[in-house]
Amino acid sequence: MIDHTTSSGPTAPYVLVLYYSRQGATKTLAEQLANGIESVSGVEARLRTVPAVSPVCEATAPEVPAEGAIYVDEDDLRHCSGLALGSPTRFGNMAAPLKYFLDTTSGLWMNGALVDRPATAFTSTASLHGGQESTLLTMLIPLLHHGMVYAGVPYSQTTLLSTRSGGTPYGTSHLAGPNADREVDADERRLAVAQGRRLAELSLALKSMRDARS
């Protein structure tokens, strides 16, 4: 069952699907990845988002979002068996709100809390060549610093060879269009579900490895 609720520590193995979305496309991809995760027995999906950031010092986000996934906290990340990171493109990089949260996770890095946990990324852009691949590649950098094991979308997913919109071996992507009004299409959904399923399978396998080593 996809978890939208507040966490209270370690429970059943779950994959954290952490995203930032302004127009809704990245949220839709996140939900499709969560569906793929939930298709694997023995692991759950936990959907979380991050609050917007503002250059205005007095601007504050509400403690709880008005709708959708709740805000992530460090324990959501600390206890996850895997991580899917999603963001729209901002000049070929992830959006500031998501990076801001990652920049606060040095404590997890110092303790090696995320070492040998699988991770992946997904994105949405206004144009087909608007930075999809560079965004995904730059999103994986902090994950590698955390010692995570990056998993993209392999070409065994033959949709990668036929899609005319989003889809890369670095992670699922979506072509939103200049007005952000193009819906996530069947190919993009199929790739996102497959990406989530692969991440869930790797999460269970690597968890078994970590458990056997400890």
Side-chain angles (χ1 to χ4, degrees):
M1 177 177 151
I2 297 173
D3 178 12
H4 297 268
T5 61
T6 303
S7 63
S8 58
T11 55
Y14 66 88
V15 173
L16 176 62
V17 183
L18 175 60
Y19 69 92
Y20 177 70
S21 186
R22 283 292 300 275
Q23 304 295 333
T26 309
K27 176 185 176 183
T28 298
L29 288 180
E31 292 168 344
Q32 294 304 308
L33 263 87
N35 288 338
I37 292 164
E38 293 279 320
S39 72
V40 176
S41 178
V43 64
E44 299 177 353
R46 180 173 292 185
L47 281 165
R48 293 291 186 267
T49 189
V50 291
V53 296
S54 172
V56 180
C57 294
E58 291 78 11
T60 58
E63 291 187 7
V64 179
E67 58 183 1
I70 66 174
Y71 294 139
V72 69
D73 64 35
E74 191 174 89
D75 277 347
D76 289 318
L77 189 55
R78 184 191 311 277
H79 299 301
C80 73
S81 294
L83 170 66
L85 202 61
S87 173
T89 290
R90 293 293 185 266
F91 301 108
N93 207 328
M94 76 179 87
L98 194 60
K99 186 176 186 302
Y100 179 83
F101 172 74
L102 292 175
D103 285 346
T104 69
T105 61
S106 59
L108 299 180
W109 169 76
M110 292 178 67
N111 293 320
L114 302 179
V115 171
D116 288 338
R117 296 167 197 258
T120 198
F122 55 99
T123 191
S124 175
T125 61
S127 62
L128 190 58
H129 303 290
Q132 290 186 357
E133 294 185 345
S134 66
T135 297
L136 293 167
L137 288 168
T138 51
M139 287 172 74
L140 75 85
I141 293 173
L143 308 180
L144 294 176
H145 276 263
H146 273 290
M148 304 190 84
V149 181
Y150 193 79
V153 180
Y155 276 97
S156 55
Q157 296 300 325
T158 55
T159 304
L160 278 179
L161 298 170
S162 59
T163 178
R164 295 182 177 275
S165 52
T168 84
Y170 313 112
T172 301
S173 58
H174 165 63
L175 172 61
N179 298 315
D181 56 0
R182 182 181 176 277
E183 294 187 0
V184 178
D185 68 24
D187 285 343
E188 295 163 343
R189 289 173 183 268
R190 190 176 299 114
L191 289 169
V193 169
Q195 186 177 7
R197 184 167 56 246
R198 184 184 190 214
L199 183 61
E201 291 169 347
L202 289 171
S203 296
L204 291 177
L206 289 175
K207 183 178 185 303
S208 295
M209 181 194 76
R210 295 193 307 275
D211 291 345
R213 194 169 56 198
S214 61

